[in-house]
Amino acid sequence: MDYPQAILTNDTTTLTVLLPGAGGYYRGSRFDWSGHVWQAEVAGHTWFAPFRVPHDPEANDGAMGPAEEFGMGIAGLPGPLGYEEAIVGDTFLKVGVGVLERDTDGEYSFGRNYPIRRPGPWETKACPDAVECRQAVTLGEWGYAYVKRIELLASGAGFTVRHELRNTGARAWSQGHYSHNFFLLDHQPVGPDYELSFPFAVQAQRDVSGRLTLGEGSLRFDRPVPAAEAVFTELAGYEPTAAHNGVTIANRATGTAVEISGDLPVQRYHFFATDRTVCPEPFVLITLAPGETQEWINRYVLTVGTGLPQAS
């Protein structure tokens, strides 16, 4: 792999983190450029794989690992900063990316690869057990300073993703934030061997009959997900609390699992899967007045063996 990277390692975990910036693995207009993870390895087992093959670093969805996005702009959640006020040809601000061009008079669409007028600069520092990425961008009255730190757990296998976001502009704003959580355990295609456990009685808001079975806090696949097909549904049943910002993905055939948890209240929950990835996506909301800062953390606990964790 020729993309800039940092390898974090301790007694349990090896984490290959893809570094943001010029020549980086991801340079599209949708996802935050920092914090993409090529691989997590524990005792010979793995948790990630590329989402799109072949890979295009400038593709809108060419992300992988715990790829995150600000300002998705769906279902009442805010879009990027300044998009609504911009006219065609004007610019707006996407946190974690930089200054983009509004090239359509339509509503903001997360699936559209907008021209990047000015990528936000990145400062990256790495040590044996952590990588810290910093970005600061201003555009007129809008501005932010952003820090993301990916760090191995001090005890046990896994890692954390710590965030710090400051409003450096003159206007208050809100941004929805989530991790797409592109997981593929031991490179095993997604199907009945995968099971997800939630800390609430999970419900599907779309018809997933014949593809998924949802039980009391669980989600299972009825059949393998065919190539070139995707499964998507919004989820319900959660309360807007941090206690429900979590999930465990397990592969019963390989005995591997990942327990994901966040420390902010969940505002929305999506689920997406293909044959190459299984993606639970809890959303949170960040609201900042000028000068205010929000910190939050996502935690990923990796396990191997029959003692699989439950989300909490």
Side-chain angles (χ1 to χ4, degrees), residues 218-286:
S218 69
L219 182 154
R220 299 179 178 88
F221 291 85
D222 296 333
R223 56 177 173 81
V225 180
E229 182 177 310
V231 180
F232 173 77
T233 182
E234 300 87 352
L235 301 180
Y238 59 86
E239 298 292 336
T241 66
H244 284 181
N245 185 351
V247 64
T248 295
I249 308 170
N251 186 307
R252 298 296 173 180
T254 66
T256 50
V258 53
E259 179 184 359
I260 308 168
S261 58
D263 65 349
L264 290 183
V266 60
Q267 302 292 326
R268 188 174 179 83
Y269 220 128
H270 288 180
F271 176 76
F272 174 85
T274 69
D275 64 328
R276 296 187 56 83
T277 191
V278 55
C279 308
E281 305 167 18
F283 286 68
V284 300
L285 186 64
I286 311 298

Side-chain angles (χ1 to χ4, degrees), residues 1-5 18 23:
M1 182 181 59
D2 296 329
Y3 298 103
Q5 60 186 273
L18 297 160

Side-chain angles (χ1 to χ4, degrees), residues 37-268:
V37 171
W38 178 258
Q39 195 53 268
E41 299 176 66
V42 178
H45 294 271
T46 61
W47 276 260
F48 298 112
F51 174 53
R52 293 291 187 198
V53 179
H55 173 65
D56 177 357
E58 297 182 0
N60 188 53
D61 62 353
M64 69 175 300
E68 300 178 334
E69 181 181 5
F70 290 91
M72 195 179 193
I74 60 168
L77 290 174
L81 305 178
Y83 182 86
E84 291 299 325
E85 298 173 4
I87 62 174
V88 175
D90 283 350
T91 53
F92 61 97
L93 197 55
K94 180 84 167 179
V95 178
V97 181
V99 178
L100 311 185
E101 178 185 332
R102 180 167 182 170
D103 62 350
T104 173
D105 59 4
E107 294 183 355
Y108 176 76
S109 171
F110 68 89
R112 186 182 186 89
N113 213 6
Y114 292 89
I116 301 176
R117 287 270 200 94
R118 177 163 52 96
W122 289 97
E123 296 181 7
T124 303
K125 295 181 180 180
C127 60
D129 64 351
V131 172
E132 186 172 280
C133 305
R134 293 177 175 266
Q135 184 188 65
V137 186
T138 59
L139 179 67
E141 294 184 307
W142 307 102
Y144 67 86
Y146 178 45
V147 182
K148 179 186 285 187
R149 182 178 177 87
I150 303 96
E151 186 171 10
L152 296 179
L153 296 180
S155 177
F159 61 98
T160 57
V161 182
R162 298 179 181 272
H163 313 79
E164 178 184 300
L165 183 62
R166 184 169 184 262
N167 181 350
T168 62
R171 298 178 59 170
W173 43 258
S174 295
Q175 289 284 272
H177 178 267
Y178 72 100
S179 175
H180 206 293
N181 287 323
F182 290 99
F183 278 93
L184 189 69
L185 279 56
D186 284 317
H187 293 278
Q188 297 298 302
V190 177
D193 286 334
Y194 283 81
E195 179 179 348
L196 282 74
S197 301
F198 296 84
F200 54 88
V202 63
Q203 305 161 30
Q205 294 189 301
R206 300 194 184 202
D207 183 8
V208 292
S209 56
R211 293 173 291 171
L212 303 175
T213 295
L214 281 71
E216 185 70 21
S218 69
L219 182 154
R220 299 179 178 88
F221 291 85
D222 296 333
R223 56 177 173 81
V225 180
E229 182 177 310
V231 180
F232 173 77
T233 182
E234 300 87 352
L235 301 180
Y238 59 86
E239 298 292 336
T241 66
H244 284 181
N245 185 351
V247 64
T248 295
I249 308 170
N251 186 307
R252 298 296 173 180
T254 66
T256 50
V258 53
E259 179 184 359
I260 308 168
S261 58
D263 65 349
L264 290 183
V266 60
Q267 302 292 326
R268 188 174 179 83

